[in-house]
Amino acid sequence: MMTLSTYLQRYSVTPLVKQAPLTVLVALAAVLSLTVPQLVVSSEPGLYLAVELIVAATVCAWVMTAKGLALSPWVNIVPALDFLALGILRWSTGSAASIFTALVVLPVVWLAAQEGRRFVAFAALGTALVILTPFIVGIGDGDRVIELLRLVIVVLVYASLAAVVNELSRQFGIQLRLTQAREKVIQMELNRAAEVQRSLLPQALSNVSGYSFAGTCLPAATVGGDFFDWYRTDDGVAITLGDVMGKGVGAGLIAAAVRAVLRSSRIDPDPSAALVRASEGLSTDFSDGSAGTGTAFTTLFHARLSGNVLRWADAGHGLTVVLRDNGSVERLSTTNLPVGIGIEDTWLTKETHLESGDLIVVFSDGVLDLFGGGLDTFDHIVQLAQKDLRPSAIVTALSELARSTEHEDDVTVVAIRRSPVWATQETRADVTPVAFGGESFSTPQ
C-alpha cells in the first residue's frame, strides 16, 4: 500500500507544473491586450518583454524539473522572474488600469508554500516589485498617490495571504514528518517481525532415510499468516502446513502461537491430539476477540510420517494430494472444521501408505489464486508434478509462478517424496533453507 510520503515523493507538484498555469494566463493576457480594443496597451515592447520573461521562467522550471531540483534553493529563481514579468505586464497594460495585477497571487503562493518565515517576506517584496514597476519605468505624477496607496493595500493583503499559506505549509510539514517517522518505526517493526517469522521456518533434517522434502512460504505482505513446519519425532518426522484467517502481523502472531503448540505435542503420536491442543490454545487466547475479529481460526494439515505410514489429521484445510508412482492420484480430503472456531473439538486421524516413488503435495489456498481460485488447481498441481516428481521441482515451479504474478494471499507449499526403489543410493532428507526475502525454500542436498 502506498504511504503518504511515497505518494508525495512520486506525485509532488514539480516546478514546471507550478509554473504552467501562470504561463498560460500571461499568454492569454497578452493575446487579449492585443486583440480587445477596450484593453489598454501602453507599451507593446513592454508587453513582449513580459511574455519573454515568463517564457524564460518556464524554461528554468522545465530544466529544474528535468534535473530533479524541485527542492533546491535555485528553484526560487522562477517566481522571482515571474514577479518581474508581472510588474512589466502591469506597466505595459495601463498600470493602474491593468486588469492583470491579480496574477501576482500565483508566485506569492509558490513562495509562501515553502517552510520558513522568510518566504512570507520574499512574497511581500515580490508583490511590492509588481506594484512599484510603473514607478521605476515611468508613471504620471497624478497616478503616484493612487499607486502608493495601492502598494500599501495590495502588499498587506498578499502578505497576509502569504502568512496564512506559509503557516498551513509549516503545519503540513510537521504532520508529514511525524507520519514519516511513525511509518519508519512501523516498517522497522514489520521487518523485525518478518525476520522472526523467517527464523521459525524449519531447519535442516538429517538421517531420514528414503525421503526428500521441499517447502516454501511466500507471504503476500511483509508478515504472513501461512506457515509450514517439519521436525523429528521419536519414530519419524512431523509435517505441518497452516493457514491463519487474515493477513499481516496479527495473523503472523497467531501462526507462531499455533506452530509452538503443535511442536509441544511432539511426544504424542496422534496428529489429531495436536490439533486439539492448538484449538484449545486459540479458544483460550482469543475468545475475548483480542485478535481483532472475535474469531481466530486456522486451517491445518498435520501429519506424522513413520516408515511408509503417514498418519494425518486435517482441520478444514483439504488441500493435499498424493501422486502415486503408478500414475494414480489421491486427494486427502476431510470434512473436519478448522481449529479455533469452538464448534468442534475433535478431529479424525487417518492413515495413508506411501509407496516407493509416491509424492505428497500440501499447499495453502494462496496457490488456488495462482490458478484462478478453482478446485481445478489440483489438476494443475498434478500436471506440474508429473513433469518432474522431485519435491524441489514442484516447489520451485510454484514459487516462480507466485513471484511472477501478483497474489493477495500467502502462498505456501510442502512436498514430500518417498525415494523410488531404483535410486542408486539412499536419499537423505538433508535440507538447507535458502532465504528469498519473505520466502524460505528448502531443497535436498
Side-chain angles (χ1 to χ4, degrees), residues 218-221 223-226 246-247 364-367 407-412:
L218 294 167
V223 180
D226 280 10
K247 303 178 181 68
S364 66
D365 56 6
V367 176
H407 52 95
E408 296 182 356
D409 202 356
D410 304 333
V411 173
T412 305

Side-chain angles (χ1 to χ4, degrees), residues 144-163:
R144 289 184 179 276
V145 174
I146 295 176
E147 286 297 287
L148 287 174
L149 290 174
R150 192 188 309 276
L151 171 66
V152 174
I153 298 300
V154 171
V155 169
L156 286 176
V157 170
Y158 283 104
S160 299
L161 172 64

Side-chain angles (χ1 to χ4, degrees), residues 216-218 225-227 241-244 299 317 319-320 361-370 377 381 398 409-414:
T216 187
C217 182
L218 294 167
D226 280 10
F227 70 96
L241 189 146
D243 185 354
V244 178
T299 65
H317 193 72
L319 300 178
T320 305
V361 181
V362 191
F363 54 93
S364 66
D365 56 6
V367 176
L368 297 177
D369 296 335
L370 301 180
T377 298
I381 297 292
L398 291 174
D409 202 356
D410 304 333
V411 173
T412 305
V413 186
V414 173

Side-chain angles (χ1 to χ4, degrees), residues 426-438:
E426 181 181 84
T427 303
R428 298 178 61 203
D430 295 334
V431 293
T432 303
V434 182
F436 296 95

